[in-house]
Amino acid sequence: MSKTESFVRGTVILAAAALIARVLGLVQRVPLEHMLGVTGNASFTVANNLYLMLLAVATAGIPSTLSKMVSERYALGRPAEAQRIYFAALLFAGVIGVIMTVGLYIFAPFFAVYSSKVPEAILAIRAIAPSLLLFPMIAMMRGYFQGRNLMIAGGISQIVEQIARVFTAILLAYIILKLGYGGVEASAGASFGSVLGSIGAFAVMIYYAFKMRKQDKLEGIDARSDKDHAVIPLTQIYGDIFKLSIPIVLSSLTIPAVYFIDSILVKPLLIGQLGDAMATNVLAILGARAQSVAGIPPILAIALSQSLIPIISAAFASRKMEHLKNQITLALRISVLTGVPIVLIFSTAAYSVNGLLFSTQEGAGIIAALTLGTIFQITMMTTNSMLIGINKANQSMVHVMIGIVVKLIVSFALAPFIGIYGIIAGTALCFITITWLNIRSLRQIVTFSVLGNRWIGFIVTVVVLGGIGLLLNQVGILLTGYMNDRVAFFIGCCMVGIAILLVYPVMLVLLRVVKANELDSYPKVLRKVFRPLMRLQKN
């Protein structure tokens, strides 16, 4: 298997694992939203968003850096050096895991009472804290296995983690409610599901560690025999790791940080105009519904575009600027073209999606608004990856920090006038700002255009399909007068999804947004969609 084939296979495995994990995450949130009630959902949102941000701080960037360092050492025939780096990473993970777990448990009242104004979240925060003991170590092990080109270990551990977390979270919440406790206690039980998920993932990692050790023995790879490279000072290893990973960590923090900011801003900014109970309800809707649904559209687009990032890195390293230009253009084009239809489906059918999945029909506007902004989340994440790929991680980090500042300013400025939609607008403008800054930096290296003179056709496509989606969603709503509400909402979701997925590629071809002469450069799945439609284009 060639390096390219190996990477693509690994990318597919990790993308599939990410897709399954994201879907399972939504599967978890739907029954929990029904079970926990307003205060329980708000508590779970605060705990989960805080946990995700701390987890990103502890792990994001370092596993990918570890992967790079390990693969380089093995390629140079220095297995002892690789194992020393791996040991250093595990040691760091163990120490930071203990510190963050103890810190989160102790400071739970501060985060719940003073930051988010949801004092009921103390139990949930403390229940989720022990999961930080193992997850940093799991992340390091995933990075090591990626460096050894064993992508399946990380993918399976992620799936096992999600299955264990989802099942135990729902089960524990159900048992606690059946014992006569309320939504606050049940949210703590649901949060504890992350701890059990971490145990499941760690068990998978241990299994693959033993399996790899056995394989190394069969292949005659013995780190102990490599005495020349057996000892590297830990200070040197940590210096190399942090120098490479800190910018990546900060770039990777964008989504967890934005969601964490929302969880601590919603009540303080809205409680004056809505009152405590209504502000808590808005926070519950944002976390339990909107953030869950908005997490779906970026998955496919990011997975497709990510497969092109190593090609971009190679083109930059070899100074093949024309090739670099083509690949940047292609990656951004794929991100936009594949992201938009999913965004349109979930935003135009937000009322039907909300009515189908969740306990009440309120909050559809919040779901639609947050989901609509994810198209800029897709472009932001894609361009962040490009900057990291061409060794401009520091620029990406600065852009993220500027975007977060924009998010805060806009949220504080608009929330007094348009409430939660001002906070959501801050999120969208954060993503737009980072995307714009990233593209500006990329264009200083090589000139490129995403769609060029095709933007008009693309915008027409989006407007037409947006109208179709809203119309069919309204049909689904009207059907509630003739049948069970959830059946009607299901029909509405299906009509919107099928119509947009069928009409979208046809309009892209008819309006020449996608052209026949560029299809060979597209991923295989897109070629299969567009090639039969090319007969619609008149030469």
Side-chain angles (χ1 to χ4, degrees):
M1 184 183 293
S2 69
K3 289 185 176 180
T4 302
E5 290 172 333
S6 177
F7 175 81
V8 170
R9 181 173 176 268
T11 300
V12 169
I13 291 170
L14 295 179
L19 175 61
I20 293 169
R22 195 68 63 91
V23 171
L24 286 172
L26 179 61
V27 168
Q28 177 198 43
R29 293 307 291 268
V30 172
L32 287 180
E33 192 275 337
H34 286 263
M35 296 163 65
L36 299 183
V38 171
T39 306
N41 277 306
S43 299
F44 185 82
T45 295
V46 170
N48 198 52
N49 286 343
L50 175 60
Y51 153 76
L52 289 174
M53 193 188 74
L54 291 176
L55 186 63
V57 170
T59 62
I62 298 178
S64 58
T65 302
L66 174 63
S67 171
K68 180 176 182 293
M69 294 172 73
V70 166
S71 63
E72 287 175 349
R73 266 61 178 193
Y74 270 95
L76 293 171
R78 299 178 179 177
E81 199 168 306
Q83 290 300 316
R84 178 72 171 170
I85 293 168
Y86 181 39
F87 167 77
L90 290 179
L91 182 62
F92 169 79
V95 172
I96 200 69
V98 171
I99 292 172
M100 297 187 85
T101 298
V102 173
L104 189 56
Y105 191 89
I106 293 173
F107 291 104
F110 171 79
F111 290 119
V113 178
Y114 299 106
S115 295
S116 61
K117 305 295 183 185
V118 185
E120 298 86 356
I122 295 173
L123 273 177
I125 293 173
R126 285 179 167 167
I128 208 171
S131 59
L132 289 169
L133 278 172
L134 290 179
F135 269 127
M137 198 169 294
I138 293 166
M140 301 309 165
M141 295 175 83
R142 286 172 179 167
Y144 172 75
F145 287 131
Q146 286 181 34
R148 298 293 307 276
N149 204 28
L150 188 65
M151 304 292 191
I152 194 170
I156 291 179
S157 72
Q158 194 172 1
I159 294 170
V160 169
E161 168 206 327
Q162 289 294 327
I163 291 173
R165 182 174 66 86
V166 169
F167 176 76
T168 56
I170 295 171
L171 180 63
L172 288 172
Y174 177 79
I175 291 172
I176 289 170
L177 289 173
K178 282 296 182 182
L179 290 174
Y181 294 97
V184 172
E185 292 78 13
S187 71
S191 297
F192 191 74
S194 292
V195 180
L196 299 173
S198 72
I199 294 171
F202 189 66
V204 173
M205 291 286 98
I206 294 296
Y207 166 78
Y208 277 103
F210 280 110
K211 186 175 181 180
M212 177 159 282
R213 182 177 296 180
K214 185 178 179 181
Q215 184 65 30
D216 285 347
K217 200 170 286 187
L218 288 173
E219 295 178 1
I221 301 173
D222 186 4
R224 290 170 296 182
S225 65
D226 182 21
K227 295 180 180 179
D228 293 338
H229 304 103
V231 178
I232 315 173
L234 290 178
T235 52
Q236 179 184 332
I237 294 173
Y238 289 133
D240 292 341
I241 288 176
F242 294 134
K243 182 181 177 181
L244 292 169
S245 65
I246 286 176
I248 300 174
V249 168
L250 294 176
S251 296
S252 303
L253 265 176
T254 314
I255 306 303
V258 165
Y259 284 176
F260 173 67
I261 289 169
D262 283 347
S263 66
I264 65 174
L265 284 186
V266 169
K267 284 199 70 175
L269 290 183
L270 302 184
I271 199 168
Q273 53 182 292
L274 299 179
D276 185 87
M278 192 59 188
T280 302
N281 186 46
V282 170
L283 175 60
I285 289 171
L286 180 69
R289 305 185 193 189
Q291 290 176 358
S292 299
V293 173
I296 296 175
I299 299 173
L300 176 61
I302 292 170
L304 286 169
S305 62
Q306 283 287 329
S307 63
L308 297 167
I309 301 304
I311 303 172
I312 289 171
S313 299
F316 179 74
S318 59
R319 309 306 297 175
K320 296 178 180 177
M321 304 312 285
E322 187 63 28
H323 186 52
L324 178 64
K325 169 186 173 181
N326 292 337
Q327 294 306 318
I328 288 176
T329 301
L330 181 60
L332 281 170
R333 188 174 295 166
I334 289 171
S335 294
V336 172
L337 294 181
T338 56
V340 162
I342 312 301
V343 170
L344 283 173
I345 290 169
F346 282 97
S347 55
T348 59
Y351 192 91
S352 295
V353 170
N354 191 41
L356 173 65
L357 297 179
F358 301 114
S359 57
T360 66
Q361 293 172 15
E362 61 179 333
I366 297 174
I367 295 173
L370 191 67
T371 304
L372 200 59
T374 56
I375 186 60
F376 303 110
Q377 178 186 333
I378 290 168
T379 55
M380 176 202 72
M381 295 177 75
T382 303
T383 51
N384 272 350
S385 296
M386 290 176 181
L387 285 176
I388 292 169
I390 60 174
N391 300 321
K392 299 291 182 182
N394 287 331
Q395 285 189 14
S396 174
M397 174 185 68
V398 171
H399 297 167
V400 167
M401 294 170 69
I402 293 171
I404 295 294
V405 171
V406 170
K407 156 73 180 170
L408 291 169
I409 292 172
V410 173
S411 296
F412 276 96
L414 296 184
F417 301 101
I418 55 177
I420 185 62
Y421 295 102
I423 296 173
I424 292 173
T427 298
L429 285 170
C430 169
F431 297 154
I432 291 170
T433 300
I434 297 171
T435 297
W436 177 73
L437 290 171
N438 287 348
I439 288 176
R440 189 183 68 167
S441 293
L442 288 167
R443 281 180 173 158
Q444 289 172 352
I445 297 167
V446 62
T447 57
F448 63 90
S449 175
V450 181
L451 288 176
N453 58 5
R454 312 180 205 183
W455 279 110
I456 294 176
F458 181 70
I459 292 170
V460 169
T461 301
V462 171
V463 171
V464 169
L465 289 179
I468 291 172
L470 290 172
L471 179 63
L472 292 175
N473 178 66
Q474 194 61 37
V475 172
I477 295 171
L478 292 175
L479 288 176
T480 58
Y482 303 94
M483 61 183 70
N484 176 273
D485 285 0
R486 293 196 189 279
V487 174
F489 289 136
F490 175 75
I491 293 172
C493 290
C494 290
M495 288 192 298
V496 173
I498 292 170
I500 289 178
L501 291 177
L502 288 178
V503 177
Y504 181 72
V506 173
M507 288 195 66
L508 290 181
V509 171
L510 285 174
L511 297 177
R512 294 184 176 274
V513 179
V514 175
K515 299 180 180 180
N517 61 1
E518 65 192 19
L519 277 187
D520 288 340
S521 63
Y522 280 33
K524 187 176 181 180
V525 64
L526 294 183
R527 293 201 300 269
K528 286 184 176 180
V529 171
F530 286 112
R531 200 174 295 282
L533 299 174
M534 283 303 158
R535 67 189 68 176
L536 298 174
Q537 284 187 358
K538 296 180 180 178
N539 297 325

